[in-house]
Structures are given as structure tokens and as C-alpha cells.
Amino acid sequence: MKRDSLKFEVNESPPLLTTASLAFMHVLLVFDAIIFIPNVLGKTAGIDPQTLAFITFGSIIVSAVFTYLQSRTRLGLGAGFVLFTGSYSAFLLCSVDAVKMGGLPLLGTMTLMTVPVVFLYTFFIRFFRHIITPAVGGVVILLIAVSMVPIGLGLWAGEPAADFSITLGRVGIGGVTVLVLTVLMLFGSTSLRLWSPLIGMAGGYCAAYFAGELNFVHSANAAWFGLPSLSSWPGLELNLQVVHLPLVLAFSMAMVASMIESTGNIMLVQQISTRDFRRVSYDQVQSGLYCDGASKIAAGLFGTAVPSLYCDNLPLIEMTGVASRRIGAIGALFLLVLAFMPKVSGIILDMPGPVVGGFLIVIAALLFHAGVGLVSLTKLSNQHGLILGLSLVVGLVAGGKSFFPGLVPSTMSPLLQNSVAMGGFTAFLLSTLAYLAPKRGVEGTFRADLSQLGEMQRLLAAGRSKLKLTDDDFNVLSLCCEEVFCHMTGEGGADSERSLSLRISKTEEGLFTEMVCGHKMDDINNFAVPESFFMATPEELNHLGLMLFAQYARNVKHLEISGYSYISFVV
């Protein structure tokens, strides 16, 4: 997938001023969400001001550190893209319940007890490759976009006002913000699109000034510099009882929702941050999820809100055409500064609601585009199309909160009425059932050596009647399996310990075939057809078999996860 609108992809470095300006825009969009749950905990659970200051500080520090790590790729920790970390709404009510039941120490303990769910999923992610797919990630992104629209409209409209002029003013402020952003993105030059977020915000602020909607409640009395008392650390609850089991279940479900959404976010940022995007790298997904799990451990030790990865700011990459990972690093630096500067944090929180709401409406529109792009990466069968459709509908029903509203227990409503969580759960469950459903097929394991080619052909011949293959079908399947076998065994060198597994199953699309080998290799789709075979180089002639394979095989996918290569196709 070519992205010609991308001015600076992930590995490139834009000018420092451009990078810093865009990093600040990303921070503006996510900062309120980062400190949202700590603020809610302070208002609903009666936390004393010093402890509230400490956990808010902890949330910002965790966000800064792990936003930076997500922009790196060292030590297998971090996806290497612009991914901001912050408190996650799916944990809201279970966090409030934990604080009311045992204080902030119990919140930290529940986080640390259930975070292994994320690490187990991440370690065994290669077994979920047919379940958490880019299409599932796309549905999750679409549900995020849907859930973002009412949030944006709520911020735009604000509380009902008796004075019609106030309402009209808020309509105008948000309208100016949306109009400026939309016009610049649709018709602006490359340079104008680069600065469209700042120009759109400036337009919104100007409209807010003339409408009398500018106020500085949070920043007026805040100190310029500050550090919370370290003695306010809440600690951990070590005296667990049976009464805490429902909390463990609620936190575990929220962890599953978080990891599904984070998987979709990492898939999305890969797609929009690379000019020549070919396929989702599950190794980068895995590294990003390990970093996400580490951020949850840090939050648990701080005793603050459980974080996750955000996608709210990712459409800025499409708006501006800048995906450089330096934005993540400098954005993390801004967050670190904000943790020690309450005055600046207050100024960000004082941004007029209609300006933020207008931004979110445009971002939701861009997320729709991105979600559809992820779904379209895969050609969907009727079964998988129905699974994704049902997941989307379940998410919309859950988010609408109008389906038998009295049926959902109030303690579980933030999870069971969360469109992203329920849609993601549905996609995960139905995809798992579809994958585990019995299918007619054959499978075998061989040494990864060309001398085993005859053994594979004998396996195919033995399974021919079971698969009910015609002569033509059998010949095409044999040809395709032979070419993939040669490609996989010829890339890893001689090693008697290596093995190659083959699995063929009959589906409604045709014969789904997957071959797995324990080493990495060149992408099977990465070859060029020579202009003339008479002038072809020896290397190009070596790809003749793959060219023939490409003529017969459909839906060819090449994945690399945890050192394993997976090549699948349909004939």
C-alpha cells in the first residue's frame, strides 16, 4: 500500500521546529485523557489532595517514560512508532470499586495481579495470528471512532445553557475549528497540511475569544513548578481475601479489552507511518505490547490509574504527513516537563471545550478512514465478514446503552457498555470459534530440507481423497506447496534440527494452506517480474517458480512472529 501523502515516514527526521510543534499538538490531544481517571478517582473516592497529586504525577511520569520507549525498538521493548500511553477508560469503574473497597493500595495490587494476562497473550501471540488479525484491529478502530463522536459532541456542546447566545457561540467555536481543519486537509498544500492542527486550533481560540468562552480556571492559581510529597505513595495491599475475587475478574476482562485495542492501535500506526506498507509486522506488535505491559506494572507500583495505548492522536499523522518517531520522543519530553509544571498543565486543561470537541470530530472521521483501510487489507470470506459485522453491531449496541438498560449490573456497566471492549470481545470469541471449528484437512511435519520434498508430495497424494480434489486442483495445490517448500527451506541454510509444518484445510474459499518454519526469510511476495526473460539476471530467473506460484495462489500472506515464518495462501 503506497502512501504518497506521507512527507516524513517513521525512520526520517523532520526539522526540529516542525517536530517539536507537532509533538506539542499530540500532547494537547491526549493530556486530558492521561489525567482523566486520577481526577475521577479523586472526586468519587474521597482521596486526600496530597495523594491525588502523587497519583496524577505518577500517571504523567508513566505516560512520558513509556511513550518514549514505544518510539524506540531497543531490547525488544517498544513498537518504534508514535504511540502515546495514558489512563484507559475500560478500567474506570473497576478502579473506583477497588479504591472504595481497599484504597489505592488495592488498585495497585489488582493491576499487578492481572497484568500477566497481557504478557501471556503477547508471548503466545503467534497462536492468535488467525484470531487477532488486521481486520479485527480495523473493527476495533471503527468502534473507537464511533465512541469518539458523542465525546466530541459533548465537549463541543457543553452543559445546556439558558442563554441562547452562549449556545450559538459554542456552535460557532467548534464550527470554525472543524471548518479550518477540513478545508486545509482537503484543499491545502503539503506545507499547509503540515501545520493544519495548529492553524485549526488558532482559529478555534480566536472564535472562543470573540465569543467570551476563554477562561483559565485550572491555571490561574496553579504553581509554576511543583513536586508531590513522596511520602504520599499509597503502597500495595497484601492482605487479599475472597471478597476481592470479583475485582480480579473485572480487571482481567479490562486487561483483555486493553490488549485487543492496543493490538489494533499498533497495526494502525504501522499502516499510516510507512510509505510502502506491505504487511503488519507482528514482531513490532509484540514489542509494543511488551512495552504496554511494562507500563501497567509501573502504574501498579505507583498506585495510579492503569494505562494503555492511545489512537486518538494518530490521525494527526495523516493530517500532517509526518510519522517520525522523533515526535514520540519529544512528546515524551513535553510530558515529563508537564509533570513538574502544574501551571502549564492547567493551561492545557483550560483549552475551550468546543475547540477540543471540534478536533475530536475531525479525528473520528480520519479514524473511520484508517479502520476501513485495516479491514480492506484482507479479502474477507462470508464467515469472517459476518464475524466482523456482528462484532461491529454488538459494539454499537453496547455503546448505545439502550438495549435493556436495567439488565446490566451497574458495577460492570463501564465494561459491558463499552463499545470497543464488547465489540473486541465478540470478534475475539467468534474468530476463535471459527478457527477451532472442525474442518476437513491434512497436516504433516518435515525436516526443513529439499530432500523431504518427496515426503510432502506423498502426504498430499494420501490426502487427495479426503480433500476431494480433482486432477486440476491436486496439480495446482502440489505446484504451490512445492514452490513454498523450496522457498522456505532454501532461505535458512543447512540445519538438521529445523522443521517445516504443513496444514491444509478445506474452506468455503477453497483450500487454505499454511506452512510454518522456525526461521526468517525474504518476503515471498517480494520479487519483480523482469521486462524480458531473455534479458533476465540469474537472480530474476530464480524467481520464476514464485511468479508461477503467484498466478495460482490467492490471498498470499507472509508473517514473521517470534522468529517463526508463516506463509499462507488459498487455491
Side-chain angles (χ1 to χ4, degrees):
M1 181 185 294
K2 290 279 188 181
R3 303 189 71 85
D4 296 329
S5 61
L6 203 58
K7 192 172 182 181
F8 295 96
E9 65 174 9
V10 64
N11 295 315
E12 297 173 347
S13 299
L16 183 58
L17 177 61
T18 302
T19 304
S21 301
L22 294 179
F24 186 65
M25 287 300 307
H26 282 265
V27 171
L28 286 177
L29 281 175
V30 301
F31 186 76
D32 193 27
I34 290 171
I35 62 175
F36 170 69
I37 291 184
N39 283 338
V40 172
L41 292 177
K43 292 175 181 177
T44 59
I47 299 173
D48 67 88
Q50 285 188 333
T51 304
L52 178 60
F54 182 87
I55 65 170
T56 303
F57 172 81
S59 287
I60 302 173
I61 290 295
V62 168
S63 177
V65 171
F66 288 94
T67 296
Y68 174 78
L69 290 177
Q70 285 289 6
S71 69
R72 308 293 98 185
T73 55
R74 297 171 185 169
L75 303 177
L77 196 68
F81 294 94
V82 180
L83 286 165
F84 280 74
T85 296
S87 58
Y88 181 49
S89 59
F91 290 95
L92 176 58
L93 197 66
C94 59
S95 297
V96 172
D97 289 341
V99 174
K100 287 182 176 179
M101 186 179 294
L104 288 169
L106 184 59
L107 171 61
T109 299
M110 287 294 109
T111 304
L112 295 175
M113 282 184 63
T114 54
V115 74
V117 172
V118 177
F119 285 106
L120 285 172
Y121 163 76
T122 305
F123 184 78
F124 294 106
I125 194 172
R126 63 192 181 94
F127 298 108
F128 295 96
R129 64 191 181 277
H130 297 298
I131 298 170
I132 307 296
T133 62
V136 171
V139 168
V140 170
I141 298 301
L142 289 172
L143 289 170
I144 293 171
V146 170
S147 63
M148 194 177 287
V149 171
I151 295 172
L153 291 176
L155 288 168
W156 188 342
E159 297 294 330
D163 189 346
F164 179 73
S165 63
I166 296 177
T167 302
L168 193 62
R170 296 181 73 89
V171 171
I173 296 166
V176 168
T177 306
V178 171
L179 182 64
V180 172
L181 282 172
T182 304
V183 169
L184 289 177
M185 286 189 298
L186 288 178
F187 307 110
S189 63
T190 303
S191 300
L192 277 176
R193 285 201 303 271
L194 183 64
W195 296 101
S196 59
L198 281 176
I199 297 172
M201 182 168 292
Y205 263 95
C206 289
Y209 173 77
F210 288 111
E213 285 287 330
L214 278 180
N215 58 72
F216 299 96
V217 177
H218 294 92
S219 57
N221 299 317
W224 277 104
F225 300 97
L227 185 67
S229 173
L230 298 181
S231 62
S232 299
W233 176 61
L236 298 172
E237 175 61 69
L238 302 179
N239 183 26
L240 296 178
Q241 302 173 10
V242 177
V243 71
H244 295 140
L245 280 177
L247 272 180
V248 175
L249 177 62
F251 271 84
S252 297
M253 290 181 66
M255 287 289 177
V256 173
S258 171
M259 74 187 191
I260 292 174
E261 182 175 339
S262 295
T263 301
N265 292 343
I266 299 171
M267 289 178 175
L268 171 61
V269 77
Q270 289 184 48
Q271 179 195 357
I272 64 177
S273 300
T274 310
R275 287 195 190 93
D276 189 14
F277 177 75
R278 293 180 177 271
R279 65 186 184 193
V280 168
S281 168
Y282 278 83
D283 282 344
Q284 289 176 312
V285 172
Q286 198 171 35
S287 298
L289 289 175
Y290 276 133
C291 191
D292 181 47
S295 73
K296 290 174 168 60
I297 292 176
L301 294 174
F302 263 103
T304 190
V306 189
S308 189
L309 298 179
Y310 289 149
C311 71
D312 307 30
N313 60 301
L314 294 183
L316 277 181
I317 294 175
E318 292 202 276
M319 281 188 195
T320 61
V322 181
S324 171
R325 61 167 57 97
R326 291 181 67 187
I327 290 176
I330 295 180
L333 179 61
F334 281 141
L335 287 172
L336 192 63
V337 171
L338 290 173
F340 297 94
M341 296 186 68
K343 176 74 76 175
V344 180
S345 301
I347 292 172
I348 292 176
L349 291 176
D350 285 330
M351 185 187 301
V355 177
V356 182
F359 250 91
L360 289 182
I361 295 299
V362 176
I363 283 174
L366 291 171
L367 283 177
F368 273 112
H369 173 252
V372 170
L374 272 179
V375 172
S376 64
L377 287 177
T378 306
K379 184 178 180 181
L380 300 178
S381 64
N382 290 334
Q383 183 187 62
H384 289 99
L386 182 59
I387 287 173
L388 297 181
L390 286 171
S391 304
L392 192 59
V393 169
V394 168
L396 293 173
V397 170
K401 302 178 183 179
S402 58
F403 181 73
F404 296 101
L407 189 65
V408 178
S410 59
T411 54
M412 297 297 289
S413 60
L415 194 62
L416 298 181
Q417 292 184 333
N418 182 310
S419 61
V420 178
M422 294 311 298
F425 282 141
T426 303
F428 183 85
L429 178 62
L430 294 180
S431 297
T432 301
L433 293 175
Y435 179 67
L436 296 178
K439 301 180 184 69
R440 184 186 296 118
V442 296
E443 57 183 50
T445 303
F446 317 92
R447 281 190 299 108
D449 190 277
L450 285 174
S451 63
Q452 294 287 294
L453 194 56
E455 291 293 326
M456 186 194 69
Q457 293 288 5
R458 281 188 282 274
L459 175 71
L460 295 177
R464 178 176 178 176
S465 59
K466 186 176 182 180
L467 295 172
K468 298 182 178 180
L469 302 178
T470 64
D471 289 343
D472 288 342
D473 290 339
F474 177 74
N475 290 334
V476 170
L477 178 63
S478 298
L479 170 68
C480 291
C481 288
E482 179 180 328
E483 290 302 331
V484 176
F485 190 98
C486 293
H487 179 74
M488 298 187 86
T489 55
E491 289 279 340
D495 186 349
S496 60
E497 298 298 322
R498 289 190 295 116
S499 63
L500 185 150
S501 62
L502 166 68
R503 181 174 64 89
I504 304 171
S505 56
K506 196 157 191 175
T507 67
E508 62 181 26
E509 294 179 284
L511 294 168
F512 174 82
T513 306
E514 183 177 57
M515 301 178 77
V516 184
C517 196
H519 64 272
K520 295 185 177 182
M521 61 197 67
D522 287 341
D523 192 334
I524 195 169
N525 297 304
N526 189 24
F527 64 86
V529 179
E531 295 182 5
S532 170
F533 286 105
F534 295 105
M535 304 292 292
T537 64
E539 183 180 356
E540 290 173 330
L541 291 175
N542 287 337
H543 291 154
L544 283 177
L546 294 180
M547 296 175 197
L548 191 61
F549 163 77
Q551 295 298 312
Y552 290 103
R554 294 177 285 117
N555 298 345
V556 180
K557 297 177 185 175
H558 186 155
L559 304 178
E560 291 180 349
I561 314 174
S562 303
Y564 287 81
S565 291
Y566 302 83
I567 296 179
S568 62
F569 57 91
V570 176
V571 295

